[in-house]
Amino acid sequence: MAEVYKLNTPLAVEDLKKLKIGDKVLLTGIIYTARDAAHKRLVQLVKEGKDLPFDINGAVIYYVGPAPAKPGYAIGSAGPTTSYRMDPYTPALLDIGLKATIGKGNRSKEVLDSMVKNTAVYLAAVGGAAALIAKTIKKAEIIAYEDLKSEAVRRLEVVDFPCIVANDTFGSDLYEEGMKKYNEE
Amino acid sequence: MREIDVSKITETVKKLVIDANYYIGKDVSDAIKKAVSEESSPTAKEILNIILDNHEISETEKMPICQDTGVAVFFVELGQEVHVTGGDFEESINEGVRQGYEEGYLRKSMVGDPVIERKNTGDNTPAIIHLTVVPGDSIKITVAPKGGGAENMSEVQMMKAADGIEGVKNFVIDRVRRSKGNPCPPVVVGVGIGGDFEKSAILAKKSLLRDIGQRSSDPVMAKVEVELLERINKLGIGPMGLGGKTTALDVFIEYIPCHIASMPVAVNINCHAARHKVVVI
Ligand code: SF4
């Protein structure tokens, strides 16, 4: 039966090892946002051996390009974007300490293998549940690549950000197994 | 001749794009509520309930349902007795988009050139406008903001007549199967058959303007819609692709005449944030 875990960032390896696909996770702490364009630049920095704009050890990256914040709000609607566009960049970041990514949709084989190798997880957020997710984001601040506008890298302070474990550290894949379980063709 | 000033069109479009992004149709909420009661997967139930909570939050907080407030796609029926005054008709729609996306705190998601620089145009224009001229002295404007995740899972196939209705069904099901969780299931599947290459795609998109549960007026196609919905919901993809019975909320098929040598079939996938709003001026 699926469990509910409240986890704090930066993520600890012992916590990650408890997680199984289908478990619900409520994340609290700091997470960082990045989409395609920001990933391209981050991975370039890694290649050049330069520092990233944030500490990647135990970090969580959320794939999101939020809507603009209304006055008095920390952020606008902020649901996940499709993750496969980040697949080419993800293993390089997992190799240097990234511990979780949050997005929607399944990942490539390379990313799955890299998660097992690096004891990391992929968390699915509910696509389209963008106003609900925005309410769990208490503070948002652009820390890099402001020119990318909605795609800039943001530092988010979240409390009980809801997601579901889609890939655990043991190599299980909820996209595969969920579909198999409910397929009636 | 009835005169309508472009400022009236701009004002109307501005409100329309905001409303479409803040308030989901009752048909969608009702269909998801029904799906919650029929799902056996706890994960699927959880996701569907989150989607329903999100509808309430976006409505009360006046925030977009989804951060991807889409390409602004319009279907406009312009009455031939209308004389548009005071400026450029298409520009008046674009101006409404510009103002609505700014004032409604909607995300601007258009890039100026699609390949080389991909620089954001900054105001979500240009809109995509499908215009038809019809009898009458009013303008009917429908907006259907379309997110990238679902649009990217769409496809046109130039099928052979010999492929028949079974070929069409297999193409539609295969397209949904290959899309997995990417278009934010539960999806709405729009199918356009006939016309030519581009017309089939426009037809598929236009079919998505129907309310959930509204069957084709053609009894044969209405049956195919029901059959496809059942078969798609047996794929097991489920909400967000994490397994379950609710992969699609509905399937809509539209068709028009085509060339003796052709059978174009377009599948346009919409996500559960199936937004559209209509207004008549
Ligand atoms: S596919 Fe739809 S619900 Fe999902 S992120 Fe895009 S617009 Fe939002």
Side-chain angles (χ1 to χ4, degrees), chain A residues 80 104 127-128, chain B residues 66-68 147-150 182-184 271-273 275:
Chain A
K104 68 177 177 90
Chain B
C66 184
Q67 79 290 337
D68 187 349
N182 295 314
C184 290
C271 48
H272 66 77
R275 298 153 283 189

Side-chain angles (χ1 to χ4, degrees), chain A residues 16-87:
Chain A
L16 293 175
K17 284 185 177 161
K18 285 189 271 186
L19 303 179
K20 299 232 168 56
I21 54 168
D23 287 345
K24 186 174 169 181
V25 172
L26 297 168
L27 269 183
T28 296
I30 304 297
I31 64 175
Y32 298 95
T33 75
R35 292 174 47 117
D36 329 30
H39 269 79
K40 201 172 164 186
R41 295 190 194 179
L42 293 174
V43 169
Q44 188 59 33
L45 290 178
V46 175
K47 272 190 199 147
E48 291 167 3
K50 293 190 180 144
D51 282 349
L52 298 186
F54 57 90
D55 184 2
I56 192 103
N57 281 304
V60 180
I61 292 183
Y62 179 28
Y63 305 142
V64 61
K70 291 202 289 187
Y73 284 70
I75 200 165
S77 293
T81 192
T82 312
S83 304
Y84 72 77
R85 298 195 317 269
M86 270 56 75
D87 284 351

